[in-house]
Every structure is written in C-alpha cells, then in structure tokens.
Amino acid sequence: MATNKFIGFLESRKNLTGSACGLVGLALTFSGVAGPYWPVVVAGLYGAGALIAPPERPPLPDFPDPSAQLDELRRDFGELREYLDGVELPPAAAGRLTEWTELLAALLDPGWVSEVLAQDPEGVHTLSRAVRQDIPEAVDTFVRTRWWTRLPPGSEPPERHLERQLTLLHEESDRLAASLRETEARRQESHTRYLEDRGRS
C-alpha cells in the first residue's frame, strides 16, 4: 500500500512540475547564477513548482456503456417473461400485458432501434424501471390481493387495478416509442436541410 502511494506521488503532477522547476534550479547552479545557495534555490523552485501544479483529477467511474446496459436489461426482460408465463391472469389483463411485452421486445431487439434507444438515458431508465419494478410489483400485488378478495365479498376486483396499471405502463412505453420515432424523423430532416444547404453553396 505504501509502495503504491509512493509511486503515485512520483507520478503526480505536483512532483513532476516541482521536479521540472528543480531542474531549472540545477541549471542555474551549474551556470553559476545560484552560487553557494543553490540547495535553497533548487528546493524553492521545486516547492514553487509543486504549488502551481494543477490538482490531480480523479478517474471517472467506470460505468457500463449504454449498449452494456441494454444487454443487462434484455436479460432481465427475459427473466420477467419467464416469471409472467407462470402467472395466471384474467384475459383482459393478459391481453394488455402481451401488448406491452411485444412492444418492449421490439424496442429491445438488437438493431438500429435499440441503438437509438441507447442514446436516450431517460428512455433506458423508463424501460428498466418498468421491467425491474413496475410490472413485477403490479402482477405480484394482483396475485396477493386476489387471494384476499375471496374473503370479503363486494370489494373492488383487483383485476381492474391491474388492467389500469398495465394500460398506464403501455401508454408510457408508447410515448417512448413515439419519442424515438421523432428523434429519427428530426435526424432525417436535418440531413435533408444539410444537403439543401450544401447544394446552394
């Protein structure tokens, strides 16, 4: 540990800048300018160099790139689909869930669509939250609530809440898909304007 710190100090900007200034002091010594006070001159120049050196910049965190995030999300989506295959849902809710999973599968399918998605951190976050939190919680809450509603008759069917939740999540994914489509449309329009401007020049 101490060796690493020592090596880190040797490679630091402060030491390198101070050493460079110290070499200037040695050059002054050999040229006869520093005289008998050369140790003070060299040490002073080293210290001055260390003081004026820019601070060390810590390395940035090594976060996964967007494509790696999408790969993880695809794996989690696959696990979610396996979980959903084992849950019995009412027909209406099952239909809404199928529509949502088909839309998500299309967005996550490797290709140019997912490449556009990878450039939208908020979109990736929206899908991650739906896959890892919203859908599992909605389905699990429905399964547990359905058991309780068998006891007190007359309460609101949990199917209605589940269908509403799935509808809202599907609408959210629809908005994301529309946003990605608009991004590509703007890109196409920008390229058209670029070609038009190039033709006028």
Side-chain angles (χ1 to χ4, degrees):
M1 189 71 175
T3 303
N4 292 339
K5 287 185 177 180
F6 179 70
I7 293 175
F9 169 74
L10 291 179
E11 297 175 346
S12 68
R13 295 180 182 180
K14 289 185 178 296
N15 181 57
L16 294 176
T17 306
S19 298
C21 292
L23 289 175
V24 173
L26 287 176
L28 293 174
T29 299
F30 292 132
S31 65
V33 176
Y37 302 104
W38 69 267
V40 176
V41 172
V42 172
L45 287 174
Y46 175 89
L51 287 175
I52 65 173
E56 294 293 325
R57 184 174 65 87
L60 292 172
D62 186 19
F63 294 130
D65 59 28
S67 60
Q69 294 179 24
L70 286 182
D71 288 339
E72 294 179 3
L73 183 54
R74 288 186 189 101
R75 288 194 294 269
D76 292 344
F77 181 54
E79 293 182 14
L80 175 64
R81 296 183 82 165
E82 291 179 7
Y83 161 73
L84 295 175
D85 288 341
V87 179
E88 182 181 351
L89 299 176
R96 295 301 295 167
L97 190 59
T98 298
E99 293 174 0
W100 179 82
T101 54
E102 289 177 352
L103 174 58
L104 212 65
L107 291 173
L108 292 176
D109 188 40
W112 68 269
V113 174
S114 61
E115 290 174 4
V116 177
L117 175 61
Q119 304 306 314
D120 183 1
E122 286 299 321
V124 174
H125 173 70
T126 296
L127 296 186
S128 299
R129 182 178 56 199
V131 169
R132 295 169 177 153
Q133 177 182 339
D134 294 333
I135 290 294
E137 183 174 348
V139 174
D140 184 61
T141 302
F142 163 75
V143 171
R144 289 184 285 114
T145 306
R146 179 175 56 181
W147 184 87
W148 285 105
T149 55
R150 293 174 179 174
L151 301 179
S155 58
E156 185 177 7
E159 290 85 354
R160 292 182 184 172
H161 286 288
L162 178 62
E163 290 170 17
R164 181 60 180 153
Q165 291 166 5
L166 295 176
T167 298
L168 292 171
L169 289 169
H170 191 277
E171 291 172 352
E172 182 180 59
S173 298
D174 269 338
R175 287 193 297 271
L176 173 59
S179 174
L180 297 177
R181 184 169 55 247
E182 289 173 6
T183 298
E184 286 300 282
R186 286 194 298 270
R187 179 182 176 187
Q188 184 184 38
E189 291 169 1
S190 297
H191 189 58
T192 300
R193 286 194 297 271
Y194 161 72
L195 293 176
E196 290 173 346
D197 293 341
R198 192 174 70 180
R200 297 190 191 101
S201 60

